[in-house]
Amino acid sequence: MVIEACYSGSVFEKCLGNKGMLFITAANNSETSKADMKDENLHVFLSNGFTRAFQTKITENPDVTLRDLFYFVATQTVGSHACMFNQSNYGNVFTERMSEFLVK
């Protein structure tokens, strides 16, 4: 499960320990998620680095491993700390690929 929201790390604190579940968030439990893409005509923010990086990576390489996807997203997220939760109860993030979860 992936969530891009302020304080998104707090959403999954109650879910830790559940077998087969992995959580990736745009921010930890005590910080906001910072916007970085603004529509100058509408004067509104559209997205942030976390979402932009996530979409970019799975579009260019749907077979990216979950670990590499998280690493890329975390390095592209500015102003908050992308987090991965519950990986010890999930499986192998080094071998499982995002394409297993994408619908064609």
Side-chain angles (χ1 to χ4, degrees):
M1 182 177 284
V2 178
I3 188 168
E4 183 276 303
C6 296
Y7 310 103
S8 50
S10 64
V11 173
F12 301 117
E13 290 176 341
K14 300 290 184 192
C15 300
L16 297 179
N18 288 322
K19 298 282 186 199
M21 296 183 79
L22 181 69
F23 312 106
I24 299 175
T25 65
N28 65 30
N29 64 349
S30 61
E31 65 190 0
T32 60
S33 175
K34 307 292 188 228
D36 77 344
M37 292 180 65
K38 186 174 183 178
D39 184 309
E40 295 302 329
N41 294 324
L42 298 174
H43 305 289
V44 296
F45 284 99
L46 304 173
S47 186
N48 67 17
F50 177 88
T51 299
R52 184 174 28 82
F54 189 90
Q55 291 175 326
T56 297
K57 185 54 85 174
I58 65 173
T59 298
E60 75 181 27
N61 181 12
D63 285 325
V64 64
T65 64
L66 298 180
R67 183 269 179 203
D68 289 348
L69 174 61
F70 172 73
Y71 183 78
F72 180 76
V73 169
T75 62
Q76 300 300 307
T77 302
V78 176
S80 64
H81 299 87
C83 298
M84 182 183 287
F85 295 98
N86 208 48
Q87 58 269 34
S88 62
N89 292 300
Y90 173 70
N92 193 334
V93 296
F94 291 92
T95 59
E96 296 216 14
R97 302 189 177 282
M98 191 62 201
S99 58
E100 296 175 40
F101 306 99
L102 300 175
V103 177
K104 293 182 182 183

XYZ file of all heavy atoms in Angstrom:
818
model
N 0.849 -1.158 0.000
C 0.000 0.000 0.000
C 0.899 1.228 0.000
O 1.878 1.292 0.727
C -0.908 -0.007 1.229
C -1.861 1.151 1.265
S -2.981 1.093 2.669
C -4.102 -0.154 2.117
N 0.552 2.190 -0.835
C 1.313 3.436 -0.939
C 0.374 4.586 -0.620
O -0.753 4.625 -1.105
C 1.892 3.611 -2.364
C 2.629 4.924 -2.492
C 2.801 2.437 -2.715
N 0.867 5.522 0.207
C 0.058 6.698 0.513
C 0.935 7.937 0.488
O 2.033 7.943 1.029
C -0.680 6.560 1.863
C -1.650 7.706 2.064
C 0.275 6.440 3.000
C -2.618 7.504 3.213
N 0.424 8.953 -0.191
C 1.107 10.239 -0.272
C 0.211 11.245 0.418
O -0.777 11.697 -0.149
C 1.335 10.608 -1.739
C 2.095 11.895 -1.935
C 1.212 13.125 -1.885
O 0.260 13.224 -2.658
O 1.488 13.976 -1.024
N 0.529 11.549 1.661
C -0.249 12.510 2.434
C 0.593 13.001 3.608
O 1.560 12.348 4.007
C -1.531 11.855 2.967
N 0.207 14.123 4.138
C 0.859 14.617 5.341
C 0.669 13.604 6.468
O -0.402 13.010 6.593
C 0.270 15.960 5.739
S 0.546 17.253 4.518
N 1.701 13.393 7.239
C 1.690 12.483 8.385
C 1.320 11.046 7.982
O 0.811 10.283 8.794
C 0.735 12.997 9.474
C 0.977 14.439 9.816
C 0.136 15.441 9.338
C 2.075 14.811 10.586
C 0.371 16.778 9.619
C 2.320 16.147 10.873
C 1.464 17.119 10.396
O 1.699 18.438 10.679
N 1.569 10.679 6.736
C 1.150 9.364 6.241
C 1.786 8.206 6.999
O 1.211 7.123 7.065
C 1.412 9.238 4.743
O 2.735 9.608 4.404
N 2.947 8.412 7.601
C 3.550 7.354 8.394
C 2.684 6.913 9.549
O 2.707 5.748 9.962
N 1.864 7.808 10.085
C 1.009 7.458 11.221
C -0.138 6.534 10.821
O -0.694 5.831 11.659
C 0.451 8.722 11.879
O -0.398 9.415 10.980
N -0.501 6.525 9.558
C -1.609 5.691 9.090
C -1.313 4.211 9.325
O -2.205 3.432 9.655
C -1.888 5.949 7.593
C -2.913 4.989 7.036
C -2.323 7.389 7.379
N -0.070 3.823 9.167
C 0.266 2.403 9.191
C 0.798 1.892 10.518
O 1.069 0.705 10.661
C 1.266 2.095 8.077
C 0.712 2.438 6.733
C 1.300 3.404 5.960
C -0.432 1.804 6.259
C 0.774 3.730 4.718
C -0.961 2.117 5.027
C -0.352 3.084 4.253
N 0.940 2.747 11.506
C 1.469 2.301 12.789
C 0.647 1.163 13.386
O 1.181 0.248 13.990
C 1.553 3.471 13.763
C 2.633 4.457 13.381
C 2.671 5.675 14.287
O 1.678 5.958 14.991
O 3.724 6.339 14.286
N -0.656 1.181 13.193
C -1.534 0.136 13.732
C -1.497 -1.133 12.881
O -1.993 -2.162 13.303
C -2.983 0.636 13.828
C -3.142 1.841 14.716
C -2.927 1.484 16.156
C -3.201 2.699 17.018
N -2.779 2.565 18.365
N -0.931 -1.062 11.700
C -0.898 -2.204 10.784
C 0.403 -2.991 10.858
O 0.517 -4.048 10.228
C -1.093 -1.730 9.345
S -2.654 -0.893 9.059
N 1.370 -2.490 11.588
C 2.657 -3.178 11.674
C 2.474 -4.580 12.246
O 1.673 -4.794 13.147
C 3.630 -2.376 12.531
C 4.001 -0.999 11.987
C 4.950 -0.285 12.937
C 4.606 -1.097 10.607
N 3.210 -5.521 11.695
C 3.133 -6.900 12.151
C 2.221 -7.775 11.311
O 2.242 -8.992 11.443
N 1.422 -7.160 10.434
C 0.546 -7.946 9.569
C 1.366 -8.623 8.479
O 2.106 -7.963 7.748
C -0.530 -7.053 8.923
C -1.573 -6.622 9.908
O -1.976 -7.387 10.774
N -2.004 -5.381 9.800
N 1.223 -9.915 8.369
C 1.958 -10.691 7.369
C 1.507 -10.316 5.963
O 0.324 -10.132 5.706
C 1.748 -12.191 7.580
C 2.258 -12.708 8.902
C 3.744 -12.863 8.847
C 4.219 -13.515 10.139
N 5.607 -13.318 10.378
N 2.485 -10.202 5.063
C 2.196 -9.971 3.657
C 1.813 -8.559 3.291
O 1.378 -8.307 2.175
N 1.982 -7.613 4.220
C 1.622 -6.221 3.920
C 2.872 -5.347 3.965
O 3.691 -5.462 4.865
C 0.588 -5.711 4.917
C -0.723 -6.472 4.832
S -1.966 -5.823 5.951
C -2.496 -4.395 5.016
N 2.994 -4.460 2.952
C 4.100 -3.518 2.873
C 3.505 -2.127 2.696
O 2.538 -1.956 1.952
C 5.001 -3.852 1.668
C 6.219 -2.966 1.478
C 7.243 -3.219 2.600
C 6.849 -3.224 0.120
N 4.090 -1.156 3.372
C 3.570 0.199 3.332
C 4.684 1.165 2.960
O 5.755 1.125 3.556
C 3.004 0.598 4.699
C 2.096 -0.445 5.279
C 2.508 -1.244 6.325
C 0.826 -0.645 4.753
C 1.677 -2.215 6.862
C -0.013 -1.610 5.273
C 0.412 -2.396 6.327
N 4.430 2.017 1.980
C 5.370 3.053 1.574
C 4.647 4.387 1.695
O 3.540 4.541 1.185
C 5.878 2.819 0.145
C 6.621 1.475 0.055
C 6.787 3.962 -0.293
C 7.049 1.092 -1.346
N 5.284 5.329 2.385
C 4.635 6.613 2.639
C 5.514 7.776 2.177
O 6.736 7.650 2.100
C 4.337 6.793 4.133
O 5.576 6.870 4.859
C 3.495 5.654 4.673
N 4.887 8.902 1.904
C 5.594 10.108 1.478
C 6.204 10.871 2.645
O 7.085 11.688 2.454
C 4.650 11.024 0.719
N 5.726 10.605 3.856
C 6.207 11.316 5.037
C 6.158 10.378 6.237
O 5.456 9.370 6.220
C 5.333 12.540 5.303
N 6.918 10.724 7.265
C 6.838 9.907 8.476
C 5.612 10.327 9.290
O 4.768 11.068 8.810
C 8.150 9.976 9.278
C 8.449 11.353 9.820
O 7.565 12.143 10.114
N 9.728 11.661 9.960
N 5.529 9.870 10.513
C 4.318 10.117 11.310
C 4.246 11.510 11.930
O 3.243 11.857 12.547
C 4.181 9.060 12.398
C 5.316 9.125 13.397
O 6.317 9.800 13.201
N 5.169 8.392 14.479
N 5.279 12.323 11.757
C 5.261 13.624 12.414
C 5.596 14.790 11.482
O 6.005 15.851 11.949
C 6.237 13.618 13.592
O 7.550 13.383 13.128
N 5.419 14.581 10.176
C 5.746 15.666 9.258
C 4.762 15.747 8.094
O 4.104 14.766 7.763
C 7.169 15.521 8.718
C 7.362 14.293 7.869
C 8.815 14.027 7.531
O 9.704 14.785 7.939
O 9.056 13.024 6.844
N 4.701 16.925 7.507
C 3.850 17.124 6.344
C 4.573 16.665 5.083
O 5.785 16.568 5.049
C 3.453 18.602 6.197
O 4.646 19.372 6.058
C 2.650 19.074 7.393
N 3.802 16.386 4.060
C 4.323 16.045 2.748
C 4.323 17.321 1.919
O 3.301 17.994 1.814
C 3.425 14.977 2.110
O 3.830 14.714 0.800
N 5.460 17.673 1.368
C 5.609 18.964 0.699
C 5.280 18.894 -0.789
O 5.775 18.031 -1.507
C 7.041 19.476 0.842
C 7.535 19.515 2.266
C 6.807 20.546 3.083
C 7.465 20.695 4.432
N 6.585 20.673 5.534
N 4.471 19.820 -1.249
C 4.136 19.922 -2.666
C 5.311 20.531 -3.426
O 6.068 21.321 -2.871
C 2.898 20.772 -2.852
N 5.445 20.163 -4.710
C 6.510 20.779 -5.504
C 6.134 21.025 -6.966
O 6.925 21.553 -7.715
C 7.799 19.972 -5.422
C 7.793 18.725 -6.281
O 6.717 18.286 -6.719
O 8.872 18.172 -6.519
N 4.937 20.673 -7.369
C 4.500 20.926 -8.746
C 3.288 21.856 -8.700
O 2.249 21.489 -8.162
C 4.121 19.619 -9.439
C 5.293 18.702 -9.701
S 4.782 17.180 -10.512
C 4.200 17.795 -12.078
N 3.448 23.043 -9.251
C 2.371 24.035 -9.189
C 1.895 24.393 -10.592
O 2.700 24.596 -11.495
C 2.862 25.290 -8.472
C 1.780 26.306 -8.232
C 2.292 27.464 -7.402
C 1.165 28.437 -7.109
N 1.622 29.551 -6.271
N 0.598 24.470 -10.753
C 0.003 24.946 -11.991
C -0.079 26.468 -11.885
O -0.846 26.999 -11.076
C -1.388 24.343 -12.197
C -2.006 24.744 -13.518
O -2.034 25.963 -13.819
O -2.463 23.846 -14.243
N 0.728 27.143 -12.687
C 0.804 28.601 -12.603
C -0.480 29.284 -13.088
O -0.789 30.394 -12.663
C 2.015 29.121 -13.379
C 3.339 28.683 -12.784
C 3.535 29.117 -11.344
O 3.020 30.184 -10.938
O 4.203 28.380 -10.598
N -1.237 28.629 -13.966
C -2.495 29.216 -14.431
C -3.585 29.126 -13.374
O -4.347 30.063 -13.174
C -2.967 28.534 -15.716
C -2.035 28.794 -16.877
O -1.483 29.881 -16.998
N -1.823 27.795 -17.704
N -3.658 27.987 -12.700
C -4.684 27.776 -11.676
C -4.234 28.230 -10.287
O -5.042 28.338 -9.375
C -5.081 26.306 -11.621
C -5.712 25.723 -12.886
C -5.924 24.225 -12.734
C -7.033 26.428 -13.189
N -2.917 28.402 -10.128
C -2.332 28.797 -8.842
C -2.612 27.767 -7.744
O -2.940 28.132 -6.611
C -2.817 30.184 -8.413
C -2.560 31.235 -9.438
N -1.300 31.698 -9.730
C -3.412 31.884 -10.266
C -1.380 32.604 -10.684
N -2.652 32.740 -11.034
N -2.502 26.495 -8.112
C -2.666 25.418 -7.134
C -1.528 24.412 -7.305
O -0.989 24.244 -8.400
C -4.018 24.677 -7.282
C -5.178 25.601 -7.000
C -4.148 24.047 -8.646
N -1.176 23.763 -6.201
C -0.193 22.696 -6.265
C -0.874 21.423 -6.748
O -1.993 21.111 -6.343
C 0.464 22.480 -4.899
C 1.465 23.542 -4.572
C 1.131 24.604 -3.753
C 2.741 23.486 -5.112
C 2.050 25.591 -3.465
C 3.673 24.475 -4.837
C 3.326 25.534 -4.011
N -0.194 20.687 -7.613
C -0.759 19.502 -8.230
C -0.219 18.202 -7.636
O -0.919 17.196 -7.615
C -0.469 19.504 -9.738
C -0.958 20.733 -10.499
C -0.465 20.676 -11.926
C -2.471 20.824 -10.434
N 1.006 18.219 -7.200
C 1.630 16.978 -6.756
C 2.878 17.314 -5.951
O 3.170 18.471 -5.685
C 2.004 16.119 -7.975
O 2.474 14.856 -7.565
N 3.614 16.264 -5.581
C 4.889 16.459 -4.894
C 5.939 15.517 -5.483
O 5.647 14.717 -6.369
C 4.748 16.287 -3.383
C 4.430 14.869 -2.984
O 4.599 13.927 -3.738
N 3.957 14.703 -1.779
N 7.149 15.633 -4.986
C 8.248 14.821 -5.501
C 8.035 13.334 -5.328
O 8.439 12.537 -6.175
N 7.397 12.938 -4.244
C 7.139 11.518 -3.982
C 6.277 10.916 -5.091
O 6.631 9.918 -5.702
C 6.440 11.364 -2.628
C 6.064 9.950 -2.280
C 6.954 9.125 -1.619
C 4.809 9.450 -2.599
C 6.604 7.826 -1.284
C 4.447 8.164 -2.275
C 5.350 7.343 -1.611
N 5.151 11.546 -5.362
C 4.224 11.025 -6.374
C 4.836 11.109 -7.765
O 4.724 10.167 -8.554
C 2.899 11.794 -6.330
O 2.329 11.604 -5.027
C 1.928 11.295 -7.378
N 5.486 12.220 -8.074
C 6.120 12.378 -9.377
C 7.170 11.296 -9.601
O 7.213 10.669 -10.660
C 6.748 13.766 -9.493
C 7.346 14.051 -10.843
C 7.831 15.490 -10.992
N 8.241 16.155 -9.772
C 9.436 16.021 -9.187
N 10.336 15.221 -9.697
N 9.722 16.689 -8.094
N 8.011 11.046 -8.593
C 9.049 10.021 -8.716
C 8.441 8.624 -8.834
O 8.906 7.803 -9.629
C 9.990 10.090 -7.510
N 7.409 8.350 -8.062
C 6.748 7.041 -8.106
C 6.192 6.780 -9.513
O 6.437 5.735 -10.109
C 5.628 6.996 -7.063
C 5.015 5.648 -6.876
C 5.528 4.762 -5.937
C 3.926 5.254 -7.635
C 4.967 3.509 -5.767
C 3.355 4.004 -7.466
C 3.875 3.129 -6.530
N 5.463 7.755 -10.044
C 4.877 7.594 -11.379
C 5.944 7.489 -12.458
O 5.822 6.682 -13.382
C 3.936 8.760 -11.683
C 2.691 8.727 -10.847
C 1.808 9.946 -11.067
O 2.294 11.048 -11.314
N 0.506 9.744 -10.979
N 6.983 8.294 -12.350
C 8.072 8.254 -13.329
C 8.724 6.883 -13.350
O 8.923 6.286 -14.416
C 9.128 9.328 -13.005
O 8.515 10.610 -13.112
C 10.321 9.240 -13.929
N 9.071 6.371 -12.186
C 9.805 5.109 -12.106
C 8.980 3.935 -12.611
O 9.483 3.096 -13.366
C 10.283 4.855 -10.681
C 11.154 3.618 -10.522
C 12.342 3.593 -11.461
C 13.517 4.330 -10.928
N 14.714 4.185 -11.800
N 7.716 3.825 -12.228
C 6.933 2.662 -12.678
C 6.545 2.779 -14.148
O 6.288 1.774 -14.800
C 5.700 2.373 -11.790
C 4.680 3.489 -11.864
C 6.140 2.076 -10.364
C 3.369 3.181 -11.154
N 6.526 4.000 -14.676
C 6.254 4.179 -16.103
C 7.474 3.767 -16.928
O 7.351 3.068 -17.930
C 5.876 5.638 -16.419
O 4.685 5.951 -15.701
C 5.650 5.842 -17.901
N 8.651 4.192 -16.501
C 9.858 3.871 -17.263
C 10.324 2.438 -17.058
O 10.960 1.867 -17.934
C 10.983 4.851 -16.949
C 11.654 4.649 -15.611
C 12.762 5.642 -15.315
O 12.735 6.762 -15.837
O 13.663 5.283 -14.518
N 9.996 1.843 -15.911
C 10.431 0.477 -15.637
C 9.419 -0.232 -14.730
O 9.605 -0.298 -13.518
C 11.811 0.468 -14.981
C 12.298 -0.932 -14.697
O 11.725 -1.918 -15.167
N 13.366 -1.044 -13.918
N 8.355 -0.789 -15.304
C 7.348 -1.473 -14.486
C 7.904 -2.678 -13.716
O 7.325 -3.089 -12.719
C 6.304 -1.935 -15.498
C 6.568 -1.166 -16.735
C 8.003 -0.772 -16.707
N 9.041 -3.201 -14.151
C 9.643 -4.352 -13.473
C 10.610 -3.962 -12.361
O 11.338 -4.811 -11.836
C 10.362 -5.252 -14.485
C 9.391 -6.069 -15.302
O 8.346 -6.484 -14.754
O 9.667 -6.304 -16.486
N 10.617 -2.705 -11.969
C 11.486 -2.257 -10.888
C 11.146 -3.037 -9.616
O 9.980 -3.318 -9.332
C 11.352 -0.726 -10.673
C 9.957 -0.334 -10.225
C 12.408 -0.222 -9.705
N 12.186 -3.418 -8.867
C 11.923 -4.098 -7.597
C 11.341 -3.094 -6.609
O 11.545 -1.881 -6.734
C 13.203 -4.700 -6.983
O 14.109 -3.647 -6.647
C 13.848 -5.709 -7.920
N 10.630 -3.601 -5.620
C 10.038 -2.718 -4.614
C 11.114 -1.948 -3.855
O 10.938 -0.778 -3.535
C 9.155 -3.512 -3.664
C 7.966 -4.207 -4.325
C 7.158 -4.967 -3.286
C 7.098 -3.236 -5.090
N 12.240 -2.585 -3.612
C 13.345 -1.914 -2.919
C 13.898 -0.784 -3.760
O 14.111 0.324 -3.282
C 14.446 -2.922 -2.599
C 15.610 -2.321 -1.807
C 16.659 -1.811 -2.748
N 17.765 -1.216 -2.010
C 18.572 -0.333 -2.528
N 18.420 0.079 -3.763
N 19.557 0.172 -1.838
N 14.138 -1.017 -5.051
C 14.685 0.027 -5.915
C 13.681 1.151 -6.146
O 14.058 2.318 -6.248
C 15.148 -0.564 -7.244
C 16.405 -1.411 -7.097
O 17.050 -1.364 -6.026
O 16.742 -2.127 -8.060
N 12.419 0.806 -6.220
C 11.375 1.822 -6.352
C 11.377 2.720 -5.118
O 11.383 3.946 -5.227
C 10.004 1.173 -6.529
C 8.805 2.118 -6.532
C 8.901 3.118 -7.684
C 7.513 1.325 -6.598
N 11.396 2.116 -3.941
C 11.416 2.910 -2.714
C 12.669 3.781 -2.646
O 12.588 4.965 -2.310
C 11.340 2.030 -1.462
C 11.546 2.829 -0.212
C 10.551 3.681 0.242
C 12.738 2.776 0.473
C 10.746 4.468 1.373
C 12.947 3.555 1.610
C 11.947 4.393 2.054
N 13.822 3.215 -2.969
C 15.072 3.980 -2.907
C 15.000 5.191 -3.835
O 15.356 6.300 -3.446
C 16.264 3.097 -3.266
C 17.575 3.815 -3.159
C 18.165 4.034 -1.915
C 18.214 4.313 -4.287
C 19.359 4.718 -1.808
C 19.408 5.003 -4.193
C 19.980 5.205 -2.949
O 21.159 5.894 -2.843
N 14.508 5.000 -5.054
C 14.394 6.106 -5.997
C 13.437 7.171 -5.466
O 13.750 8.361 -5.474
C 13.921 5.592 -7.366
C 13.772 6.679 -8.384
C 14.882 7.229 -8.997
C 12.524 7.164 -8.720
C 14.758 8.250 -9.934
C 12.378 8.180 -9.654
C 13.495 8.722 -10.265
N 12.279 6.742 -5.011
C 11.274 7.679 -4.505
C 11.820 8.443 -3.295
O 11.647 9.658 -3.191
C 9.966 6.932 -4.165
C 9.009 7.806 -3.403
C 9.311 6.434 -5.440
N 12.493 7.749 -2.398
C 13.029 8.398 -1.194
C 14.066 9.457 -1.549
O 14.104 10.517 -0.917
C 13.628 7.353 -0.259
N 14.881 9.195 -2.564
C 15.904 10.177 -2.941
C 15.319 11.369 -3.683
O 15.954 12.417 -3.755
C 17.015 9.549 -3.797
O 16.457 9.049 -5.018
C 17.728 8.433 -3.048
N 14.120 11.241 -4.216
C 13.479 12.324 -4.967
C 12.473 13.109 -4.131
O 11.927 14.103 -4.598
C 12.765 11.757 -6.198
C 13.676 11.030 -7.160
C 14.772 11.923 -7.702
O 14.504 12.995 -8.222
N 16.010 11.505 -7.556
N 12.213 12.667 -2.928
C 11.248 13.334 -2.046
C 11.971 14.400 -1.233
O 12.877 14.094 -0.469
C 10.568 12.303 -1.121
O 9.925 11.321 -1.926
C 9.551 12.967 -0.213
N 11.563 15.645 -1.416
C 12.208 16.772 -0.740
C 11.243 17.348 0.295
O 10.063 17.540 0.019
C 12.587 17.863 -1.765
C 13.177 19.080 -1.068
C 13.541 17.303 -2.801
N 11.753 17.593 1.493
C 10.953 18.241 2.529
C 10.272 17.291 3.491
O 9.746 17.705 4.508
N 10.244 16.010 3.168
C 9.718 14.997 4.087
C 10.539 13.721 3.884
O 11.363 13.643 2.982
C 8.231 14.724 3.837
O 8.023 14.174 2.555
N 10.300 12.757 4.720
C 11.064 11.513 4.682
C 10.172 10.355 4.248
O 9.309 9.918 5.018
C 11.656 11.214 6.066
C 12.586 12.289 6.530
N 12.149 13.401 7.213
C 13.918 12.432 6.364
C 13.185 14.178 7.476
N 14.262 13.622 6.976
N 10.367 9.907 3.018
C 9.641 8.729 2.554
C 10.033 7.552 3.443
O 11.187 7.425 3.845
C 9.982 8.434 1.102
N 9.060 6.716 3.773
C 9.305 5.597 4.680
C 8.745 4.296 4.105
O 7.772 4.313 3.355
C 8.628 5.845 6.026
S 9.235 7.290 6.909
N 9.374 3.208 4.497
C 8.872 1.876 4.181
C 8.630 1.187 5.513
O 9.511 1.139 6.366
C 9.863 1.083 3.338
C 9.357 -0.294 2.943
S 10.571 -1.277 2.024
C 10.544 -0.460 0.442
N 7.430 0.664 5.693
C 7.050 0.019 6.944
C 6.692 -1.447 6.722
O 6.130 -1.803 5.693
C 5.815 0.708 7.553
C 6.039 2.118 7.986
C 5.675 3.166 7.160
C 6.613 2.401 9.211
C 5.865 4.481 7.548
C 6.813 3.717 9.612
C 6.436 4.751 8.779
N 6.984 -2.258 7.709
C 6.542 -3.651 7.801
C 7.269 -4.596 6.839
O 6.800 -5.695 6.588
C 5.023 -3.755 7.592
C 4.436 -4.945 8.311
O 4.713 -5.171 9.481
N 3.615 -5.709 7.612
N 8.419 -4.174 6.313
C 9.112 -5.032 5.351
C 9.541 -6.373 5.945
O 9.601 -7.363 5.223
C 10.281 -4.306 4.685
C 11.348 -3.769 5.593
C 11.094 -2.352 6.038
O 9.947 -1.941 6.238
N 12.142 -1.578 6.233
N 9.769 -6.443 7.237
C 10.167 -7.719 7.840
C 9.020 -8.727 7.852
O 9.239 -9.926 8.001
C 10.701 -7.507 9.258
O 9.688 -6.966 10.087
N 7.797 -8.271 7.698
C 6.632 -9.165 7.653
C 6.059 -9.307 6.247
O 5.036 -9.939 6.057
C 5.523 -8.634 8.572
C 5.918 -8.713 10.015
O 6.186 -9.781 10.534
N 5.981 -7.572 10.665
N 6.714 -8.683 5.279
C 6.162 -8.660 3.929
C 6.661 -9.802 3.047
O 5.889 -10.535 2.476
C 6.470 -7.328 3.248
C 6.055 -7.333 1.803
C 4.712 -7.334 1.464
C 6.996 -7.402 0.785
C 4.315 -7.376 0.146
C 6.604 -7.434 -0.535
C 5.270 -7.434 -0.850
O 4.878 -7.484 -2.156
N 7.920 -9.893 2.887
C 8.510 -10.813 1.909
C 9.833 -10.227 1.481
O 10.498 -9.554 2.249
N 10.195 -10.432 0.224
C 11.492 -9.974 -0.246
C 11.342 -8.764 -1.169
O 11.005 -8.912 -2.338
C 12.212 -11.109 -0.971
C 13.666 -10.798 -1.205
O 14.063 -9.644 -1.280
N 14.462 -11.834 -1.337
N 11.622 -7.586 -0.653
C 11.494 -6.362 -1.448
C 12.606 -6.249 -2.484
O 12.533 -5.416 -3.376
C 11.455 -5.094 -0.557
C 10.228 -5.102 0.336
C 12.729 -4.939 0.240
N 13.630 -7.100 -2.371
C 14.734 -7.092 -3.330
C 14.410 -7.884 -4.590
O 15.059 -7.711 -5.609
C 16.011 -7.646 -2.686
C 16.582 -6.733 -1.641
C 16.221 -6.870 -0.311
C 17.475 -5.730 -1.977
C 16.739 -6.030 0.663
C 17.993 -4.878 -1.016
C 17.618 -5.027 0.304
N 13.423 -8.761 -4.527
C 13.087 -9.573 -5.695
C 11.676 -9.332 -6.230
O 11.430 -9.562 -7.408
C 13.234 -11.078 -5.396
O 12.365 -11.424 -4.312
C 14.675 -11.428 -5.039
N 10.773 -8.883 -5.396
C 9.401 -8.634 -5.861
C 9.372 -7.364 -6.687
O 9.993 -6.370 -6.338
C 8.439 -8.548 -4.682
C 8.379 -9.871 -3.960
C 7.007 -10.190 -3.448
O 6.039 -9.545 -3.853
O 6.931 -11.092 -2.619
N 8.631 -7.408 -7.767
C 8.624 -6.319 -8.740
C 7.272 -5.617 -8.784
O 6.233 -6.222 -8.576
C 8.984 -6.858 -10.111
C 10.342 -7.539 -10.068
C 10.882 -7.913 -11.414
N 12.203 -8.491 -11.267
C 13.321 -7.813 -11.057
N 13.283 -6.499 -10.980
N 14.472 -8.413 -10.935
N 7.310 -4.342 -9.067
C 6.091 -3.538 -9.107
C 5.128 -4.051 -10.168
O 3.914 -3.956 -9.998
C 6.463 -2.075 -9.369
C 5.332 -1.128 -9.162
S 4.764 -1.153 -7.456
C 3.136 -0.478 -7.692
N 5.643 -4.617 -11.242
C 4.777 -5.103 -12.326
C 3.772 -6.154 -11.851
O 2.731 -6.333 -12.466
C 5.624 -5.654 -13.467
O 6.453 -6.700 -13.012
N 4.075 -6.824 -10.731
C 3.140 -7.820 -10.183
C 1.853 -7.160 -9.701
O 0.830 -7.837 -9.558
C 3.787 -8.558 -9.011
C 4.999 -9.366 -9.409
C 5.682 -9.997 -8.211
O 4.961 -10.487 -7.297
O 6.912 -10.002 -8.184
N 1.877 -5.861 -9.474
C 0.735 -5.151 -8.917
C 0.057 -4.215 -9.909
O -0.940 -3.584 -9.575
C 1.175 -4.347 -7.686
C 1.872 -5.201 -6.678
C 3.257 -5.219 -6.611
C 1.153 -6.000 -5.813
C 3.923 -6.004 -5.686
C 1.807 -6.798 -4.886
C 3.183 -6.813 -4.830
N 0.593 -4.119 -11.109
C 0.045 -3.213 -12.124
C -0.924 -3.956 -13.037
O -0.656 -5.067 -13.454
C 1.170 -2.601 -12.953
C 2.194 -1.781 -12.176
C 3.319 -1.340 -13.101
C 1.541 -0.587 -11.510
N -2.015 -3.312 -13.360
C -3.002 -3.874 -14.267
C -2.734 -3.304 -15.657
O -2.580 -2.101 -15.823
C -4.440 -3.506 -13.820
C -5.455 -4.026 -14.811
C -4.699 -4.026 -12.424
N -2.671 -4.199 -16.629
C -2.405 -3.750 -18.015
C -3.674 -3.571 -18.766
O -4.657 -4.169 -18.583
C -1.516 -4.748 -18.722
C -0.133 -4.785 -18.113
C 0.759 -5.732 -18.848
C 2.121 -5.746 -18.151
N 3.071 -6.564 -18.799
